[in-house]
Amino acid sequence: MGLIVQKFGGTSVANTERLKNVAKIVTDTYKAGNGVIVVVSAQGDTTDDLIEKAREVNTNPSKREMDMLLSTGEQISASLLAMTIESMGFPVISLTGWQAGIATDSNYSASRIKKIDTERLSAELDKKRIVIVTGFQGLNKYDDITTLGRGGSDTSAVALAAACHADLCEIYTDVDGVYTTDPRIVPDAKKLSEISFDEMLELASLGANVLHNRSVEMAKKYNVNMCVRSSITRAEGTFVKEVVNMESMVVRGVTKDNDVARISLCHIEDTPGKAFRIFSLLAKYNINVDLIIQSIGRENTKDISFTVSEGNLKEALDLIENNKDLIGYGELSYNTEVSKVSIVGAGMVTNAGVAAKMFEALYDAHINIHMIATSEIKVSVLIDQGMENKAIKAIHDKFELA
Amino acid sequence: MGLIVQKFGGTSVANTERLKNVAKIVTDTYKAGNGVIVVVSAQGDTTDDLIEKAREVNTNPSKREMDMLLSTGEQISASLLAMTIESMGFPVISLTGWQAGIATDSNYSASRIKKIDTERLSAELDKKRIVIVTGFQGLNKYDDITTLGRGGSDTSAVALAAACHADLCEIYTDVDGVYTTDPRIVPDAKKLSEISFDEMLELASLGANVLHNRSVEMAKKYNVNMCVRSSITRAEGTFVKEVVNMESMVVRGVTKDNDVARISLCHIEDTPGKAFRIFSLLAKYNINVDLIIQSIGRENTKDISFTVSEGNLKEALDLIENNKDLIGYGELSYNTEVSKVSIVGAGMVTNAGVAAKMFEALYDAHINIHMIATSEIKVSVLIDQGMENKAIKAIHDKFELA
């Protein structure tokens, strides 16, 4: 008995049969005495179809009009789900992002939620209605429709859960939880019953595609209890929360990311402010930098290597070359044939030797390590692309995660 | 140089090529120095496709959710048209009904526009932007999306023209104007260069499908200059306005309506209040009655005949039978094998013998007349179905409308 937010992705609402499946989950939750807010994405390929339509008339449409166009996708799935629930005899209403009071900044196609005015939502919940809200969208100060960009519907769900003080935010997806590593690579990977926000954040940013980082960040900020579960199996799923059982495994999961490129600047003059210049330059152009290593080079110089996503590689290289005089380096090189493999776990910080154990697993598997970066709860290594699955298996076995 | 509202139907925006055609018309108008507000319907079959999707999940969805669903159709075409115009380098913005300030009553799926707050529209026009507005929809007092029902986009266009004091409201369609009669029946039918609101209203209510009555009523009420023209030929079209050149033809047009059924009640007791009872009963159930004739029957009784649309026939008959005691009649009969043929023209009222000339044309063509009804600007007759095209030709010739 409480208030539960349930989010369903595009695959879960793709057709009539799936809509009925979702309606069953929602109404079961409602029948159990809970208030229910449902957040939906656009059906299956709807968003891609709309993007294609736009491309036909304009290869470079304004983001403002794209948001106007794309936001219809969620409006369609929200009203169809409401009708499905109506047909089962339950009180229900669908609301667009703006009807649900979701106010965003004005950054079209990648906006952020600023606040949620819950007046309408509360009124509908008070009427004992199931409330369906379109994910992925809101309204900016100009009264224009905005979309939240990638992972937007997860973020909508968490934001609504936070604003309405929901007891739980369930993210329904096509996997039944968060695993110690990708079960397609390691068949005996184990489903986690719970994971902390920080661990989930590291896993998400390291390539696990279960939850989008933004939604986890928001859940952490407002301490929203989240749960990842499958709309098909309806199994228990994985709970994401602030504090998890500390008796649990030291290493929570192993993950990989192939969308990574290494950039190296060699023979940088060893004077203060060099690193600052490089990374503030990249930050100015919104290029996210991941692993960073600075090493001593020859003859009073140093070398700096770091990784960016492959999509940002060209822009990053251009920026560095165009600012060669400002930065002052000898040689610029890059490599896209690399892969990042990481272990994550809140227990690491208090357990000595975790990193060493990971390196040992890689050594045993004859895998060479190019770069290493560590934080309190993760260790990442850069290795040759093609070796990542072998690395994951070796690490998973070493830590006995199965 | 002025402010022009242009409305384009679903066929006109059905695909990329047609969107480009519409964009050309709009930008030509803009380049001529005019402010332009464009009203669009949903693309081609979009609305039907959405209705089908709804049917799959619920055979009887609520009108509120249907409006939520269907309103996406215009939002898609409005944003796509905006992108098309963007690609041609013109400043443009698309607005939903609620963004355009269109407030309606709460009658979902058949709502009426109550008022338009033009603040946003004016601001966009002041920025010299072409403004695209979704037709067919608005927002009610609960902040819910409503749709205007049949002919809704025409009504949106006229309402916006009235609210913004536009100089002209152009309704683009697939015919190039209003004709003296259907050119498919009478090949030498003539296009009218202008027609009065009253004449257009009679023509529309008598079966001419060019403009929906509601839009003409609103144009008359707010004295909006309208023009019906083709988005393909871009020919001059027909102007609809308050006062038209009185030198023009006495009879403006000939039209037919096959969606009509005759109901007759015979042997009604000849006491006051009988007609009132019948027609207030039908009005209570929203059944529109058209031609009404009352005649003297036998033995101090009277007969009353009237026509309704075929869709209302069964309900009307049921109502009358269930209230037989209240009304007090002897016999109830009906006939669906009838057709209504009408002539319309503001000049009739000052020209004697117009009706007689019409009857003569029908007599010459050996067509029997079942019922006759006249108003100041029209004469309608009910004849056997199947004879209507012959009747139209005969009348068109008699009045030399070609």
Side-chain angles (χ1 to χ4, degrees):
Chain A
M1 304 272 278
L3 177 61
I4 297 181
V5 175
Q6 302 184 314
K7 181 259 171 180
F8 297 91
T11 316
S12 299
V13 294
N15 55 41
T16 301
E17 190 196 338
R18 298 226 175 120
L19 280 168
K20 286 181 178 169
N21 177 53
V22 167
K24 182 80 172 61
I25 295 173
V26 170
T27 54
D28 281 352
T29 311
Y30 179 84
K31 278 193 287 190
N34 299 294
V36 189
I37 296 173
V38 182
V39 176
V40 288
S41 301
Q43 291 187 295
D45 299 329
T46 306
T47 304
D48 289 340
D49 292 346
L50 290 172
I51 290 171
E52 177 54 33
K53 275 192 174 224
R55 290 258 159 78
E56 280 179 22
V57 296
N58 189 338
T59 50
N60 187 25
S62 69
K63 288 178 177 174
R64 193 261 176 205
E65 295 298 335
M66 275 306 277
D67 284 2
M68 184 81 163
L69 179 67
L70 296 185
S71 63
T72 61
E74 286 78 27
Q75 195 170 325
I76 290 171
S77 54
S79 51
L80 287 177
L81 179 58
M83 291 175 195
T84 312
I85 292 173
E86 275 177 359
S87 76
M88 297 164 72
F90 291 88
V92 61
I93 190 164
S94 70
L95 300 177
T96 61
W98 56 267
Q99 286 175 329
I102 300 175
T104 74
D105 64 22
S106 295
N107 198 11
Y108 296 107
S109 89
S111 64
R112 293 192 160 260
I113 295 174
K114 290 180 68 178
K115 64 172 182 189
I116 298 182
D117 176 350
T118 59
E119 193 182 336
R120 174 84 192 253
L121 281 165
S122 300
E124 301 296 349
L125 290 170
D126 286 347
K127 289 177 196 158
K128 300 293 172 201
R129 287 176 173 162
I130 294 166
V131 184
I132 320 282
V133 180
T134 56
F136 180 66
Q137 62 185 249
L139 197 71
N140 70 14
K141 65 181 174 186
Y142 304 114
D143 273 354
D144 281 345
I145 296 171
T146 53
T147 67
L148 307 184
R150 282 199 60 189
S153 291
D154 287 358
T155 308
S156 302
V158 174
L160 287 167
C164 296
H165 308 290
D167 299 284
L168 180 61
C169 178
E170 295 182 323
I171 308 290
Y172 283 87
T173 174
D174 49 359
V175 296
D176 59 359
V178 181
Y179 278 74
T180 50
T181 192
D182 189 337
R184 287 167 302 188
I185 299 170
V186 182
D188 58 357
K190 195 179 144 192
K191 188 172 79 180
L192 301 168
S193 61
E194 56 182 33
I195 188 168
S196 72
F197 289 127
D198 287 336
E199 289 171 326
M200 190 66 235
L201 275 173
E202 290 286 6
L203 279 177
S205 65
L206 293 171
N209 284 319
V210 182
L211 281 176
H212 199 270
N213 244 0
R214 283 172 67 190
S215 62
V216 184
E217 275 166 15
M218 190 176 281
K220 177 176 157 70
K221 186 169 172 189
Y222 295 101
N223 201 13
V224 173
N225 284 322
M226 283 178 97
C227 171
V228 180
R229 54 195 298 192
S230 160
S231 59
I232 312 301
T233 69
R234 298 179 71 172
E236 261 285 289
T238 300
F239 284 84
V240 190
K241 43 191 176 179
E242 188 56 55
V243 179
V244 302
N245 180 5
M246 274 307 177
E247 289 179 289
S248 61
M249 294 164 285
V250 171
V251 172
R252 188 70 61 171
V254 189
T255 184
K256 68 168 176 179
D257 185 3
N258 282 340
D259 178 19
V260 60
R262 194 207 70 219
I263 296 177
S264 296
L265 285 78
C266 296
H267 312 311
I268 300 174
E269 192 190 329
D270 192 12
T271 53
K274 292 296 182 188
F276 161 73
R277 277 191 194 147
I278 296 168
F279 297 115
S280 66
L281 181 68
L282 295 170
K284 198 171 138 192
Y285 289 87
N286 282 316
I287 296 172
N288 278 322
V289 169
D290 191 20
L291 313 186
I292 300 175
I293 286 177
Q294 178 176 316
S295 56
I296 306 299
R298 287 166 301 176
E299 296 161 6
N300 213 23
T301 65
K302 58 190 177 189
D303 302 340
I304 291 181
S305 292
F306 55 89
T307 58
V308 296
S309 73
E310 293 189 10
N312 281 333
L313 177 63
K314 191 180 175 308
E315 194 181 357
L317 291 174
D318 288 348
L319 273 173
I320 293 166
E321 277 175 0
N322 295 340
N323 290 280
K324 184 165 186 178
D325 291 347
L326 179 75
I327 302 167
Y329 60 86
E331 198 183 313
L332 175 65
S333 64
Y334 69 92
N335 183 2
T336 58
E337 297 301 306
V338 288
S339 190
K340 184 172 65 177
V341 170
S342 313
I343 55 173
V344 171
M348 273 185 207
V349 65
T350 52
N351 279 270
V354 172
K357 198 167 174 183
M358 179 188 188
F359 304 152
E360 187 186 357
L362 294 171
Y363 171 78
D364 289 346
H366 307 292
I367 295 167
N368 195 27
I369 299 172
H370 298 305
M371 289 172 75
I372 298 170
T374 61
S375 78
E376 289 199 341
I377 65 163
K378 76 154 190 202
V379 180
S380 291
V381 297
L382 204 67
I383 60 174
D384 284 338
Q385 208 166 91
M387 304 299 277
E388 63 274 15
N389 288 355
K390 191 177 171 193
I392 285 177
K393 283 196 196 88
I395 297 165
H396 202 261
D397 285 351
K398 193 77 173 181
F399 286 97
E400 293 168 358
L401 296 179
Chain B
M1 303 272 274
L3 177 61
I4 297 181
V5 175
Q6 302 184 314
K7 181 259 169 178
F8 297 91
T11 317
S12 300
V13 295
N15 54 43
T16 301
E17 190 195 337
R18 299 227 175 121
L19 280 168
K20 286 182 178 168
N21 177 54
V22 167
K24 182 80 172 59
I25 294 174
V26 170
T27 55
D28 282 352
T29 311
Y30 179 84
K31 278 193 286 189
N34 299 294
V36 189
I37 296 172
V38 183
V39 176
V40 289
S41 301
Q43 291 187 297
D45 299 328
T46 307
T47 305
D48 289 340
D49 292 347
L50 290 172
I51 290 172
E52 178 54 33
K53 275 190 175 227
R55 289 258 159 78
E56 279 179 23
V57 296
N58 189 336
T59 50
N60 187 28
S62 69
K63 289 178 176 174
R64 194 265 176 201
E65 294 299 335
M66 275 305 278
D67 284 2
M68 184 82 164
L69 179 68
L70 296 185
S71 63
T72 60
E74 287 77 28
Q75 195 171 325
I76 290 171
S77 54
S79 51
L80 287 175
L81 179 59
M83 292 175 194
T84 313
I85 291 173
E86 275 177 358
S87 75
M88 297 163 73
F90 291 87
V92 63
I93 189 163
S94 70
L95 301 177
T96 61
W98 56 266
Q99 286 174 329
I102 299 175
T104 74
D105 64 22
S106 296
N107 198 12
Y108 297 107
S109 89
S111 65
R112 292 191 161 263
I113 295 175
K114 290 179 70 176
K115 64 173 182 188
I116 298 182
D117 176 350
T118 60
E119 193 182 336
R120 174 85 191 253
L121 281 164
S122 301
E124 301 297 350
L125 290 169
D126 285 349
K127 290 177 194 159
K128 300 291 171 202
R129 286 176 174 164
I130 294 165
V131 184
I132 321 281
V133 179
T134 56
F136 180 68
Q137 61 185 248
L139 197 70
N140 69 17
K141 65 182 172 187
Y142 305 113
D143 274 355
D144 281 345
I145 296 172
T146 54
T147 68
L148 307 183
R150 282 199 59 190
S153 290
D154 287 357
T155 308
S156 303
V158 174
L160 287 165
C164 297
H165 308 289
D167 299 285
L168 181 60
C169 178
E170 296 183 322
I171 308 289
Y172 283 87
T173 174
D174 49 0
V175 297
D176 59 0
V178 181
Y179 278 75
T180 50
T181 193
D182 189 336
R184 287 168 301 187
I185 299 170
V186 182
D188 58 357
K190 197 179 141 190
K191 188 172 77 182
L192 300 168
S193 61
E194 54 183 35
I195 189 169
S196 72
F197 290 128
D198 287 336
E199 290 170 328
M200 191 66 235
L201 275 175
E202 290 286 5
L203 279 177
S205 64
L206 293 170
N209 284 320
V210 181
L211 282 175
H212 200 270
N213 244 1
R214 284 172 64 190
S215 63
V216 184
E217 273 166 16
M218 189 175 280
K220 177 176 157 69
K221 185 169 173 188
Y222 295 100
N223 201 12
V224 173
N225 285 321
M226 284 178 96
C227 171
V228 180
R229 53 193 301 189
S230 160
S231 59
I232 313 301
T233 69
R234 298 180 69 172
E236 260 286 288
T238 301
F239 284 85
V240 190
K241 42 190 178 180
E242 187 57 52
V243 180
V244 303
N245 181 4
M246 273 304 174
E247 289 178 289
S248 61
M249 295 162 285
V250 172
V251 173
R252 189 70 59 174
V254 189
T255 183
K256 68 169 176 179
D257 185 4
N258 282 341
D259 178 20
V260 60
R262 195 207 70 220
I263 296 177
S264 296
L265 286 79
C266 296
H267 313 310
I268 301 173
E269 193 190 327
D270 192 12
T271 53
K274 291 297 180 188
F276 161 75
R277 276 189 194 148
I278 296 168
F279 297 115
S280 66
L281 181 68
L282 295 170
K284 199 171 138 193
Y285 289 87
N286 282 317
I287 296 173
N288 277 323
V289 169
D290 192 19
L291 312 186
I292 301 174
I293 286 178
Q294 178 176 317
S295 58
I296 305 298
R298 287 166 298 173
E299 296 159 7
N300 214 23
T301 64
K302 58 191 177 187
D303 302 341
I304 291 180
S305 293
F306 54 88
T307 58
V308 296
S309 71
E310 293 190 9
N312 281 331
L313 177 63
K314 192 179 174 308
E315 193 180 0
L317 291 175
D318 287 350
L319 274 173
I320 293 166
E321 277 175 0
N322 295 338
N323 291 279
K324 186 167 182 176
D325 292 345
L326 179 75
I327 302 167
Y329 60 88
E331 198 184 312
L332 175 65
S333 64
Y334 69 92
N335 184 2
T336 58
E337 297 299 306
V338 288
S339 188
K340 184 171 65 179
V341 171
S342 312
I343 56 173
V344 171
M348 271 183 210
V349 64
T350 54
N351 278 269
V354 172
K357 199 168 171 181
M358 179 189 190
F359 303 153
E360 188 186 353
L362 294 171
Y363 171 78
D364 290 344
H366 307 291
I367 295 166
N368 195 30
I369 300 171
H370 298 307
M371 289 171 75
I372 299 169
T374 61
S375 78
E376 288 197 344
I377 65 164
K378 77 154 188 201
V379 181
S380 291
V381 296
L382 205 68
I383 60 175
D384 284 340
Q385 208 167 89
M387 304 298 278
E388 64 275 15
N389 289 356
K390 192 177 170 193
I392 284 177
K393 283 194 195 93
I395 297 165
H396 202 261
D397 285 352
K398 193 75 172 183
F399 285 97
E400 293 168 355
L401 296 178

